[in-house]
C-alpha cells in the first residue's frame, strides 16, 4: 500500500459518503467553502430619488392604507439589494413610507427596532410612539424602540413621506423567535402623554429614584434600552456646523455626528444600528470594514466609490456599501449624508474591523 497524496486523502469512500449524507453530516473542508456565503451576495447599490418618488406616488394613488392586507399595514416601497431578495442589506432594512392627508397607519408593535427619518414632513404629521405624538418635520429622526406601540397619523393637508429603518433582516434571519408582532385593538393608540414628555426625560435633568434598564416587551439583555425620542434636525446641523468651525474632519467619514442613545449619551442609538449625520467638504480617504453602511443623501451631490465602482448620488438618493468593500466619498462641494450602519452588532462581540487598502 503506497503513501497517499494529500488530495487523495480527501477522497471519501462511497460508504462513508452515504453515511454522512444520510445523517446530514458534512466534512468541514467542504462546508468551509460556504462560510459567509450569504454575506458575500450583498452588492454596492443605489436608488435614485426620482425613481423612488415615482414608485411611492404610484402605490399611494393605487392603494389606500385601509385596503392593505392584514399584517404590517404600512404603505412602503422597499429598496432591494441586487444580491439579496428582501432588503437593502443583510442586516438593515430601509423602506420609504407614505401616509396621505387624513390617513392613519394603524397602531402595532414588534420585536424589531425602528427609526423614522422625515423626508416630506409636516408639523401635523405625527408618529405616535408609547403614548406621545411626535411631529415629523423635515429631516427629523424619531425612534420607535422595540415593542413600543406606534401608529402614524397625518392630520396635515400634504402627503407625508419618510424613511423607515429597521433591524428587521437581522431579527428575521438570526433570531426568528424574536420577530414577535401584535396589532393594537384600536386603530389609533390613546395619547397618554403631553408633547415633549419623552424628550424632556433625557436632558440634563433625569427622573430621581428611578431604576433604569427595563427593556420593553418579552426581551432581556444588557444594553441600556433606547427611549422613544425625537432628534430635531436643527440641533444636529448646529452640532455639525460647530465642528466644521472648530475641529478637523475624520479622514474617512468627514465631519460626523452620532445620534446617541439618550439614556447613555453614547452610541449606538439601538443595540443593532447606529446613525450619523455626516458633513463632507472634500474627498475622504478610502477604507473598508466588516460593517455595512447604508446612506441617505440629505443635501448636496457627489459620488461614493466602492470597489472601483462610482455610485453617483444627489439629494434624497439611497445607497449601500457592502462589507469589506474599499470605499471613499467624493462630494461635489458640500454635502450632508445620513449614515446608517450595523457596526454595533460587530462591536458587541468585539468583532468590528476596519482598515485602509494597500496603495
Ligand atoms: Fe411598525
Ligand atoms: Fe466606511
Amino acid at each position: 500500500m503506497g503513501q497517499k497524496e494529500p488530495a487523495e486523502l480527501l477522497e471519501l469512500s462511497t460508504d462513508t459518503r452515504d453515511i454522512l449524507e444520510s445523517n446530514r453530516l458534512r466534512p468541514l473542508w467542504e462546508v468551509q467553502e460556504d462560510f459567509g456565503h450569504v454575506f458575500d451576495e450583498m452588492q454596492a447599490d443605489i436608488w435614485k430619488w426620482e425613481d423612488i418618488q415615482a414608485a411611492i406616488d404610484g402605490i399611494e394613488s393605487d392603494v389606500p392604507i385601509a385596503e392593505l392586507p392584514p399584517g404590517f399595514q404600512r404603505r412602503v416601497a422597499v429598496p432591494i439589494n441586487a444580491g439579496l431578495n428582501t432588503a437593502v442589506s443583510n442586516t438593515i432594512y430601509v423602506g420609504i413610507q407614505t401616509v396621505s392627508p387624513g390617513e392613519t397607519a394603524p397602531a402595532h408593535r414588534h420585536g424589531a427596532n425602528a427609526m423614522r427619518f422625515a423626508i416630506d414632513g409636516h408639523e401635523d404629521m405625527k408618529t405616535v410612539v408609547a403614548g406621545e405624538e411626535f411631529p415629523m418635520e423635515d429631516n427629523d429622526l424619531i425612534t420607535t424602540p422595540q415593542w413600543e406601540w406606534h401608529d402614524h397619523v397625518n392630520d396635515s393637508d400634504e402627503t407625508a413621506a419618510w424613511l423607515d429603518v429597521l433591524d428587521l433582516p437581522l431579527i428575521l434571519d438570526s433570531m426568528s423567535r424574536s420577530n414577535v408582532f401584535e396589532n393594537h385593538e384600536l386603530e389609533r393608540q390613546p395619547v397618554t402623554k403631553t408633547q415633549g414628555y419623552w424628550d424632556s426625560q433625557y436632558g440634563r435633568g433625569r427622573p430621581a429614584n428611578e431604576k433604569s434598564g427595563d427593556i420593553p416587551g418579552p426581551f432581556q439583555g444588557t444594553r441600556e434600552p433606547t427611549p422613544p425620542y425625537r432628534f430635531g434636525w436643527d440641533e444636529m446641523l448646529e452640532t455639525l456646523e460647530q465642528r466644521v468651525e472648530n475641529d478637523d474632519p475624520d479622514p474617512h467619514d468627514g465631519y460626523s455626528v452620532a445620534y446617541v442613545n439618550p439614556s447613555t449619551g453614547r452610541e449606538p442609538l439601538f443595540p443593532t444600528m447606529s446613525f450619523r449625520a455626516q458633513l463632507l467638504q472634500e474627498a475622504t480617504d478610502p477604507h473598508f470594514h466588516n460593517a455595512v453602511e447604508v446612506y441617505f443623501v440629505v443635501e448636496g451631490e457627489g459620488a461614493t466609490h466602492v470597489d472601483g465602482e462610482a455610485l453617483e448620488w444627489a439629494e434624497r438618493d439611497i445607497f449601500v456599501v457592502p462589507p469589506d468593500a474599499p470605499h471613499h466619498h467624493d462630494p461635489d462641494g458640500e454635502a450632508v449624508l445620513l449614515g446608517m450602519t450595523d457596526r454595533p452588532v460587530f462591536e458587541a462581540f468585539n468583532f468590528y474591523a476596519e482598515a485602509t487598502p494597500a496603495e
Side-chain angles (χ1 to χ4, degrees), residues 65-334:
I65 293 172
E67 286 180 17
L68 289 170
F72 276 28
Q73 290 189 293
R74 298 292 191 257
R75 188 174 50 220
V76 182
V78 182
I80 307 294
N81 190 281
L84 304 170
N85 56 16
T86 53
V88 71
S89 84
N90 56 313
T91 51
I92 295 174
Y93 158 105
V94 175
I96 302 91
Q97 180 166 176
T98 58
V99 176
S100 308
E103 278 191 319
T104 292
H108 70 200
R109 61 180 180 176
H110 39 66
N113 289 289
M115 76 81 159
R116 325 288 162 197
F117 190 83
I119 298 174
D120 287 323
H122 195 286
E123 60 183 342
D124 293 324
M125 173 66 228
K126 314 274 180 41
T127 181
V128 191
V129 186
E132 182 182 333
E133 296 178 313
F134 292 86
M136 301 174 82
E137 297 194 68
D138 288 0
N139 299 337
D140 286 351
L141 186 156
I142 297 127
T143 65
T144 306
Q146 59 178 175
W147 210 240
E148 299 289 6
W149 293 111
H150 53 283
D151 41 288
H152 311 305
V153 181
N154 191 349
D155 288 330
S156 83
D157 52 9
E158 291 164 28
T159 294
W162 62 85
L163 294 183
D164 290 318
V165 184
L166 285 83
D167 48 15
L168 205 52
L170 186 71
I171 297 225
L172 289 177
D173 290 347
S174 319
M175 296 177 275
S176 57
R177 283 166 293 179
S178 298
N179 184 35
V180 285
F181 175 86
E182 186 179 7
N183 280 307
H184 202 285
E185 57 184 0
L186 303 171
E187 184 186 45
R188 297 185 178 193
Q189 67 177 293
V191 174
T192 57
K193 304 252 189 309
T194 51
Q195 260 185 36
Y197 169 77
W198 282 109
D199 286 12
S200 72
Q201 301 307 297
Y202 293 90
R204 294 201 172 85
R206 305 276 174 119
N209 300 325
E210 193 168 87
K211 76 181 171 79
S212 66
D214 273 349
I215 296 169
F219 309 107
Q220 297 176 34
T222 56
R223 294 299 186 103
E224 192 74 22
T226 309
Y229 200 81
R230 172 180 166 275
F231 295 83
W233 181 245
D234 289 351
E235 193 183 337
M236 297 305 289
L237 207 52
E238 166 70 11
T239 309
L240 270 178
E241 285 168 354
Q242 289 283 356
R243 289 201 73 92
V244 171
E245 288 301 313
N246 296 283
D247 301 322
D248 294 326
D250 178 272
H252 307 294
D253 295 321
Y255 293 97
S256 183
V257 169
Y259 291 82
V260 299
N261 180 342
S263 66
T264 62
R266 300 181 59 189
E267 291 183 87
L269 182 54
F270 295 111
T272 47
M273 298 182 290
S274 199
F275 303 95
R276 294 172 183 185
Q278 295 176 225
L279 191 151
L280 306 170
Q281 291 182 324
E282 51 196 32
T284 60
D285 294 338
H287 75 161
F288 61 97
H289 36 68
N290 49 5
V292 164
E293 281 174 343
V294 182
Y295 287 98
F296 174 75
V297 183
V298 180
E299 287 172 24
E301 54 191 79
T304 294
H305 299 264
V306 185
D307 250 343
E309 179 187 354
L311 304 175
E312 307 265 359
W313 41 259
E315 203 167 301
R316 298 183 165 196
D317 292 349
I318 295 166
F319 63 94
V320 59
V321 178
D324 301 329
H327 58 279
H328 72 278
H329 305 298
D330 192 4
D332 193 0
E334 189 169 282

Side-chain angles (χ1 to χ4, degrees), residues 346-358:
F346 292 87
E347 289 175 328
F349 300 104
N350 292 348
F351 270 128
Y352 179 68
E354 175 180 331
T356 52

